[in-house]
């Protein structure tokens, strides 16, 4: 399956608007009474399966952003929003797609994708939050199952084929695409208008509950409308699935007026992430020129200076980058993004002792930070200190039990330190997290064969895990 195909699938899934982790059904939030109807068409298990299948393919075929600071930023923002609805932390998976079109989409199982273009177009964090709140609402309100219940005849064959296509990959997917004709997409779009309204309404509640300015939704709609006029042929993808009308903007404004004007949200992290994405998007030369220009004026912000430092490092001008970063740290000694950059510059220049020390300090000051763990563990691995990396990662997987990446890194560290058995167990966890139970069980079988015969505790716990995964696999087969 190629990348265009995956993109196409994404756009269809975005159209299908989306869906539900099982946990989301219990919430103090005012969910409408959905009755059993919504589950007849798509059980929570099927939704989870579809989401996992989609995410598994997305990790391979989509250009996902791996930068730990950007990932952590999106995670924190997403968690802040879902927790404001009384939903458990990490019950959704947010991921950033390297794509400069303005779009966000929610897929079954609570997977929410955000294009880098959306972050680059938004003027502040609250505007990003307004889109995420909208997407989260599609999930909590179970829009897909409800849509299917109401439109069974038209949609079901398409969706079933699509589901199979995504889960199986390969040719089935192409069949799915052939079947999902443009005409049926159009019908689906019309059908979802009322859900769009509901998602907007709840999206604003999410903004208010999590302390963001409720006017941001209307602001962002307007911004997209303007962007649309600017780039006629390259309209924000979000507009395709979320047509913005004057009515819609007026409604968003009217709803916002019902909430007291909230204190302005701290936008520091957003502006820094925005600068980082801008640098990622440009050549080192252009980025340096652009940010140097910005820092010349008297109103240069920390983000402008951070952008310049990143650009200089990108261009290999380490001494200048080091100087800029030192200035940043002087101005904002607590900003961890600056300390990370400082360590990265030393690492890029091969100053091993110094970079390791800096990354260790960052980790020691916040052992629960995803980016601090990732950078430190990566640096350790790069410097072949696998035994320390293993220690860090064993703790990390307890802290982030859903992190596929940490299990993969742990698997490598275990292997490098000679614990083949533990290496296979870690890999099994990574496979299980993406719903590939067959490979997970294979890994566990290898692990069990490597475990000491008289280590009853390990033998028993591997056996129990195999049993659990097989049961899950069986359950999903019966859907
Ligand atoms: Zn929507």
């Amino acid at each position: 399956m190629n990348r265009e195909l995956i993109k196409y699938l994404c756009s269809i899934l975005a159209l299908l608007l989306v869906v539900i982790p099982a946990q989301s059904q219990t919430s103090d939030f005012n969910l409408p009474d959905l009755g059993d109807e919504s589950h007849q068409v798509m059980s929570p298990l099927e939704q989870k399966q579809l989401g996992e299948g989609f995410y598994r393919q997305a990790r391979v075929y989509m250009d996902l952003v791996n930068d730990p600071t950007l990932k952590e930023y999106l995670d924190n923002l997403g968690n802040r929003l879902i927790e404001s609805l009384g939903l458990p932390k990490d019950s959704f998976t947010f991921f950033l797609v390297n794509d400069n079109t303005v779009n966000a989409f929610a897929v079954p199982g609570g997977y929410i994708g955000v294009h880098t273009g959306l972050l680059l177009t938004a003027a502040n964090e609250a505007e990003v939050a307004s889109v995420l709140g909208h997407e989260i609402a599609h999930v909590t309100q179970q829009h897909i199952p409800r849509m299917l219940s109401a439109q069974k005849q038209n949609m079901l064959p398409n969706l079933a084929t699509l589901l199979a296509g995504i889960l199986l990959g390969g040719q089935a997917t192409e069949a799915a695409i052939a079947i999902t004709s443009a005409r049926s997409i159009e019908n689906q779009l019309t059908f979802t208008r009322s859900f769009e309204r509901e998602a907007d309404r709840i999206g604003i509640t999410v903004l208010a509950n999590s302390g963001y300015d409720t006017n941001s939704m209307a602001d962002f709609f307007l911004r997209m409308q303007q962007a649309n006029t600017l780039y006629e042929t390259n309209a924000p993808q979000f507009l395709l699935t979320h047509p913005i009308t004057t009515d819609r903007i007026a409604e968003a404004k009217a709803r916002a007026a019902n909430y007291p004007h909230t204190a302005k949200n701290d936008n520091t992290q957003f502006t820094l992430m925005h600068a980082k994405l801008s640098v990622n998007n440009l050549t080192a030369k252009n980025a340096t020129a652009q940010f140097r220009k910005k820092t010349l004026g008297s109103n240069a912000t920390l983000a402008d200076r951070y952008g310049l430092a990143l650009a200089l490092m990108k261009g290999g001008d380490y001494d200048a980058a080091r100087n800029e970063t030192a200035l940043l740290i002087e101005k904002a000694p607590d900003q961890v993004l600056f300390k990370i950059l400082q360590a990265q510059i030393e690492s890029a220049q091969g100053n091993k002792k110094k970079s390791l020390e800096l990354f260790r300090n960052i980790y020691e000051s916040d052992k629960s930070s995803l980016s601090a763990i990732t950078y430190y563990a990566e640096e350790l691995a790069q410097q072949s200190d696998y035994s320390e990396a293993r220690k860090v990662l064993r703790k990390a997987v307890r802290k982030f039990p859903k992190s596929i990446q940490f299990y993969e890194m742990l698997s490598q560290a275990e292997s490098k330190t000679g614990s083949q058995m533990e290496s296979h167990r870690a890999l099994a966890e990574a496979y299980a997290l993406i719903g590939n139970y067959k490979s997970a069980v294979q890994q566990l079988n290898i692990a069990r064969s490597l475990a000491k015969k008289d280590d009853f505790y390990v033998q028993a716990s591997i056996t129990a895990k195999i049993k659990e995964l097989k049961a899950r696999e069986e359950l999903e087969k019966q859907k």
Side-chain angles (χ1 to χ4, degrees), residues 141 196-206 255 259:
Q141 299 312 100
E196 284 306 301
R197 183 166 286 142
E198 185 174 53
D200 282 355
R201 180 173 60 75
I202 291 163
I204 289 207
T205 319
V206 172
R255 286 192 198 105
Y259 296 93

Side-chain angles (χ1 to χ4, degrees), residues 167-404:
L167 295 174
L168 302 171
Q171 292 193 334
T173 309
E174 290 173 53
I177 285 171
I179 285 168
T180 311
S181 69
R183 189 154 160 268
S184 71
I185 290 175
E186 216 175 276
N187 292 341
Q188 291 155 25
L189 191 62
T190 322
F191 186 79
T192 56
R193 295 269 152 81
S194 65
F195 288 151
E196 284 306 301
R197 183 166 286 142
E198 185 174 53
D200 282 355
R201 180 173 60 75
I202 291 163
I204 289 207
T205 319
V206 172
L207 282 179
N209 289 355
S210 47
Y212 287 103
D213 185 347
T214 48
N215 292 299
S216 328
M217 186 175 278
D219 291 348
F220 193 64
F221 285 165
L222 273 169
R223 200 176 309 289
M224 278 199 291
Q225 230 182 17
Q226 284 158 5
N228 197 24
T229 347
L230 275 176
Y231 322 106
E232 275 173 30
T233 49
N234 193 16
Q237 283 186 13
F238 193 75
L239 291 182
L240 298 176
T241 48
H242 298 80
I244 287 168
T245 58
T246 321
D247 277 0
R248 194 169 178 200
I249 297 174
E251 271 175 18
K253 275 188 180 159
R255 286 192 198 105
N258 294 330
Y259 296 93
H261 194 75
T262 45
K264 235 181 159 23
N265 189 57
D266 179 11
N267 228 16
T268 313
Q269 292 305 108
F270 172 82
T271 57
L272 295 172
M273 292 291 102
H274 193 280
K276 192 168 204 180
L277 281 173
S278 306
V279 173
N280 288 353
N281 253 347
L282 298 163
T283 62
K285 202 178 152 198
N286 288 346
T288 308
Q290 201 178 99
F291 279 96
R292 196 176 288 289
K293 205 169 147 196
K294 285 184 181 183
T295 52
L296 288 178
S298 55
N299 47 7
T301 62
L302 277 184
D304 295 334
R305 298 199 163 278
Y306 180 54
L308 178 60
L310 288 167
L312 289 165
M313 185 178 92
K314 189 174 181 176
D317 192 347
Y318 299 122
D319 290 338
R322 186 183 287 111
N323 289 340
E324 282 299 328
T325 309
L327 283 174
L328 283 166
I329 292 174
E330 213 178 284
K331 284 179 195 287
D334 295 330
Q335 179 51 259
V336 71
L337 289 171
F338 302 159
K339 293 181 193 168
I340 287 170
L341 180 55
Q342 184 188 34
Q344 284 179 306
I345 294 166
E346 298 307 331
S347 175
Q349 260 195 319
N351 299 329
K352 290 186 175 180
K353 219 177 137 198
K354 183 81 184 158
S355 61
L356 196 58
E357 184 195 326
L358 291 170
F359 279 125
R360 187 187 303 117
N361 290 344
I362 294 165
Y363 172 71
E364 293 291 342
S365 62
D366 186 0
K367 289 183 179 171
S368 62
S369 153
L370 180 122
S371 58
I373 297 166
T374 313
Y375 284 119
Y376 184 42
E378 278 177 353
E379 186 71 16
L380 286 166
Q382 205 188 324
Q383 298 197 23
S384 304
D385 188 349
Y386 289 106
S387 102
E388 181 65 16
R390 183 178 72 173
K391 234 191 265 175
V392 170
L393 290 162
R394 280 184 176 178
K395 276 186 204 150
V397 295
R398 284 200 293 272
K399 181 85 199 156
F400 294 91
K402 281 176 74 182
S403 171
I404 299 162

